[in-house]
Each structure stands twice: as C-alpha cells, then as structure tokens.
Amino acid sequence: MYPELEKLYALCFPDKQHKWTAKDFADLKQSGCDIIVGQTGFVVWRNTLDDTEIISIGVVPDARRTGTASAMIQMVKQDAKQNGVKNILLEVDEHNTPAIELYKKCGFTNVGMRPHYYENGHNAIIMKTAI
Ligand SMILES: CC(C)(COP(=O)(O)OP(=O)(O)OC[C@H]1O[C@@H](n2cnc3c(N)ncnc32)[C@H](O)[C@@H]1OP(=O)(O)O)[C@@H](O)C(=O)NCCC(=O)NCCS
C-alpha cells in the first residue's frame, strides 16, 4: 500500500518540492493516522479526542470531477462519527480553488488562517465542519 501511495502522491501533487514517500506514509500510519487508498486517490486523516484532522487528500488528474474526493470525505465523516468526534478540521492553500470548492461542498467553512504556511509562501486557510 505505501509504494502505491507514493505514486499517487506524485501524480496528485506534481508541483510540490517535497513529495511524500512510502516511508512518510508508513510513518503517518505508525503515528496513528488512518489512510484510505484506492486506484485513483487517497486520503489521510487523524482522529483525536474531539477533532478529526484531514492531513492530505488527492485524486489523480484523469479521475477528477467524478465524486471520488467527496466520497472519501464522506468515509472520513463516517469514521469520525463512529469515534464520537465533534469536528473535522483541515488546512488548504488559499489559492487551491478546486480543494476549497470541494470542502465547501462537503460542508466546511473558513475558521482561520495561517500566514505563509506552505513552502511556496502561500497562506493556509483553516476550514472546519461539525459532524
Ligand atoms: C481537490 C481534489 C482532491 C478534488 O478531487 P475530486 O475527486 O475531483 O473532487 P469531486 O469530484 O469530489 O468534486 C466535488 C466538488 O468539488 C468542487 N470542485 C472539484 N474540483 C473543482 C475544480 N477544479 N474547480 C472548481 N470546483 C471544483 C466542485 O464543487 C465539485 O462538485 P461538481 O463536480 O459536482 O461541480 C483534486 O482536485 C486534487 O487531487 N487536487 C490536487 C491535490 C490537492 O490539492 N489536494 C487537496 C490539498 S488541501
């Protein structure tokens, strides 16, 4: 599963300088994250006592706009609910319109901002949805 994730990550995030490797994904799993990986996409999230954080989500370019990411977010919501979590949080690059639109469609709203959060200097928007 980890080599698959490394390949998917490179396809989903071609512009990132630091691309996550199979070892990065294995370390995330080891540290308590959950991961869904399919043929065309993946999502990594972490449940804590009160909140769930979506750490990363990606769908390969050829498979976009077919509802894959929305379906994966639904699965994360189900898991969060089963774990008694109240909120799901995530960070997104303020210029990443596809992701922001996806999250809005899935019920997330803006709740904050982290200045110059990304390696490209862009700000991160913090988004949240209640379960
Ligand atoms: C963001 C991303 C995960 C969306 O995946 P997806 O499977 O295409 O998303 P969905 O098909 O579930 O789209 C759901 C909704 O999101 C919005 N959306 C998705 N892509 C969009 C785009 N390019 N422009 C505008 N809105 C978009 C639409 O509202 C869409 O609903 P619609 O198709 O009925 O109009 C995908 O574009 C991706 O992997 N991008 C690169 C990696 C990335 O930026 N990850 C997020 C990091 S925070």
Side-chain angles (χ1 to χ4, degrees), residues 76-87:
V76 174
K77 282 187 178 179
Q78 285 294 333
D79 182 66
K81 200 171 181 176
Q82 279 169 11
N83 281 280
V85 169
K86 299 188 179 73
N87 301 297

Side-chain angles (χ1 to χ4, degrees), residues 13-83:
F13 294 96
D15 299 333
K16 289 248 188 202
Q17 274 183 4
H18 172 74
K19 295 196 174 52
W20 290 6
T21 63
K23 182 175 183 316
D24 291 327
F25 282 102
D27 288 347
L28 284 165
K29 182 75 179 160
Q30 179 74 25
S31 73
C33 288
D34 289 300
I35 301 175
I36 293 173
V37 54
Q39 301 266 328
T40 58
F42 72 93
V43 58
V44 181
W45 74 102
R46 186 197 302 277
N47 291 320
T48 60
L49 268 186
D50 290 328
D51 296 329
T52 290
E53 184 186 4
I54 295 182
I55 313 272
S56 186
I57 183 166
V59 173
V60 296
D62 286 353
R64 288 180 188 163
R65 296 306 284 267
T66 60
T68 304
S70 306
M72 292 194 293
I73 288 176
Q74 267 313 114
M75 290 182 213
V76 174
K77 282 187 178 179
Q78 285 294 333
D79 182 66
K81 200 171 181 176
Q82 279 169 11
N83 281 280

